[in-house]
Amino acid sequence: MARRKIALIGGGQIGGVLAQLCALRELGDVVLFDIVEGLPQGKTLDIAEAAPVDGFDVQVKGTNSYADIAGADVVIVTAGLPRKPGMSRDDLISVNSKIMTSVAEGIKQHAPNAFVIVISNPLDAMVTLCQRITGFPHNRVVGQAGVLDSARFAAFIAWELGVSVKDVSAVTLGGHGDDMVPLVRYTSVCGIPVMELLEQKYGAAKAAEVMAAMVKRTRGAGGEVVALLKTGSAFYSPASSAIAMAESFLKDSKRVLPTCAFLKGEFGVDGLYVGVPVVIGAGGAERVLQLKLNAEEQAMMDKSVKAVKDLVATLK
Ligand code: APR
């Protein structure tokens, strides 16, 4: 079987890590595209020269030409500005919409059969724009946010409880903004509801406080990294998260991953991209898995969905 091909649009911080992860995991040949001359070529040359050390047999190529993404099975988009301290993701909409418009046109023309994963922010709006411009079916255009938001939540829980991150199963819903919905009730450690363990440790009142702090930290986790870095936003964890989605598609694993997907009535939302649990396989975003929300969770979801709707409405 011929090797699979992964095109990465945007050769900045996330793009570079994506290229390296694709190579290390031998997911397929990699093309790294950027408008800055020399940047993708330099990064990919650097990665390729590590191949004899790491032992990966894939090609890693940098380019400034969309023609080179032809035949890509997966396209991951990180083109666009990252946040600076004090900015919200939504502040990026005007400049990143222009970038996404040109990127989506390039993908439409040169990789018409690809599964597209968008990472550029503001995520929910950028995925919407990418799908509108490519005209690809909704199951082939998704956004990465929920895998990362859930991973952050899981990490905080694992650190708090002193257990392996591997045994925490956490899920977040909604938009990739400050209103995202970490679902405490559906979060567990080896199947044990997380609140049960926190209550054993702290008693009910303090457990609720500790959880509230972790939920708050999860919502602001991207900003926490931005405030520390000062020159950009998170890049290792967003790259790992998108790779999990790409890998599930390429291997038809049917992993259930929190994904920014187009809803057609699920969760009471119609015609909008929002983060929900999705089965990702060879058919792209194959199926949305629904779960029952209580009144409080539904209210948080509604608030998050409204924020996404308002933002998407500002797209030209
Ligand atoms: N086409 C392709 N690439 C572009 C374009 C364009 N029209 N415009 C800008 N770029 C490239 C830049 O040259 C840069 O190399 O996008 C890259 C973005 O890289 P970084 O600035 O390092 O940003 P990064 O940290 O990778 O984040 C990218 O993902 O998480 C989001 O908020 C983040 O929107 C940001 C995006």
Side-chain angles (χ1 to χ4, degrees):
M1 194 172 82
R3 271 190 219 146
R4 308 302 289 273
K5 180 167 174 178
I6 300 128
L8 309 170
I9 312 295
Q13 296 283 63
I14 304 177
V17 180
L18 283 170
Q20 190 183 29
L21 288 175
C22 287
L24 288 173
R25 295 185 190 198
E26 293 190 310
L27 291 184
D29 290 335
V30 179
V31 173
L32 183 66
F33 173 96
D34 203 287
I35 48 167
V36 178
E37 283 180 26
L39 176 71
Q41 291 85 351
K43 285 198 179 182
T44 50
L45 180 62
D46 191 11
I47 292 169
E49 287 170 353
V53 182
D54 287 314
F56 51 80
D57 278 315
V58 293
Q59 284 174 14
V60 191
K61 177 183 173 167
T63 185
N64 306 113
S65 164
Y66 273 108
D68 288 324
I69 74 167
D73 298 286
V74 178
V75 177
I76 306 178
V77 183
T78 63
L81 261 54
R83 284 195 273 175
K84 297 245 160 57
M87 287 174 87
S88 84
R89 295 182 182 92
D90 295 0
D91 293 336
L92 299 168
I93 191 161
S94 156
V95 58
N96 283 355
S97 291
K98 291 198 189 90
I99 293 173
M100 181 55 77
T101 301
S102 73
V103 167
E105 278 162 3
I107 297 170
K108 180 181 182 176
Q109 194 181 340
H110 295 278
N113 299 313
F115 177 54
V116 183
I117 303 170
V118 175
I119 305 183
S120 313
N121 275 313
L123 193 268
D124 309 275
M126 290 305 102
V127 182
T128 306
L129 192 57
C130 185
Q131 190 282 325
R132 282 183 188 167
I133 292 169
T134 57
F136 291 179
H138 290 107
N139 62 308
R140 279 208 285 119
V141 184
V142 298
Q144 186 303 114
V147 175
L148 173 55
D149 296 332
S150 305
R152 285 169 166 159
F153 192 32
F156 302 149
I157 289 166
W159 301 341
E160 169 57 43
L161 289 171
V163 300
S164 168
V165 289
K166 290 181 193 159
D167 298 316
V168 181
S169 172
V171 59
T172 56
L173 298 181
H176 186 48
D178 300 341
D179 296 319
M180 70 178 76
V181 186
L183 277 187
V184 177
R185 220 161 46 90
Y186 286 96
T187 293
S188 61
V189 178
C190 187
I192 308 163
V194 64
M195 287 312 293
E196 220 170 289
L197 295 175
L198 280 177
E199 282 167 15
Q200 283 168 26
K201 185 171 173 186
Y202 291 118
K206 173 91 192 291
E209 260 174 46
V210 171
M211 179 48 81
M214 288 195 287
V215 165
K216 187 166 178 229
R217 189 172 181 196
T218 301
R219 288 183 165 140
E224 187 179 347
V225 175
V226 172
L228 289 165
L229 292 179
K230 295 181 186 73
T231 52
S233 49
F235 53 99
Y236 294 111
S237 54
S240 292
S241 303
I243 290 295
M245 298 169 76
E247 193 165 20
S248 190
F249 167 79
L250 289 166
K251 297 184 176 170
D252 193 23
S253 318
K254 306 203 188 296
R255 290 199 60 196
V256 179
L257 297 170
T259 298
C260 180
F262 192 74
L263 299 187
K264 298 173 183 165
E266 300 93 342
F267 290 89
V269 179
D270 199 15
L272 196 70
Y273 270 100
V274 184
V276 290
V278 172
V279 177
I280 296 190
E286 294 183 350
R287 213 154 32 102
V288 172
L289 297 191
Q290 299 201 65
L291 46 91
K292 285 196 183 110
L293 299 179
N294 64 25
E296 191 191 348
E297 292 156 352
Q298 188 65 54
M300 286 194 285
M301 181 70 169
D302 291 347
K303 188 173 174 213
S304 183
V305 166
K306 182 175 183 307
V308 173
K309 228 181 229 168
D310 290 349
L311 184 68
V312 166
T314 67
L315 287 172
K316 305 255 160 39

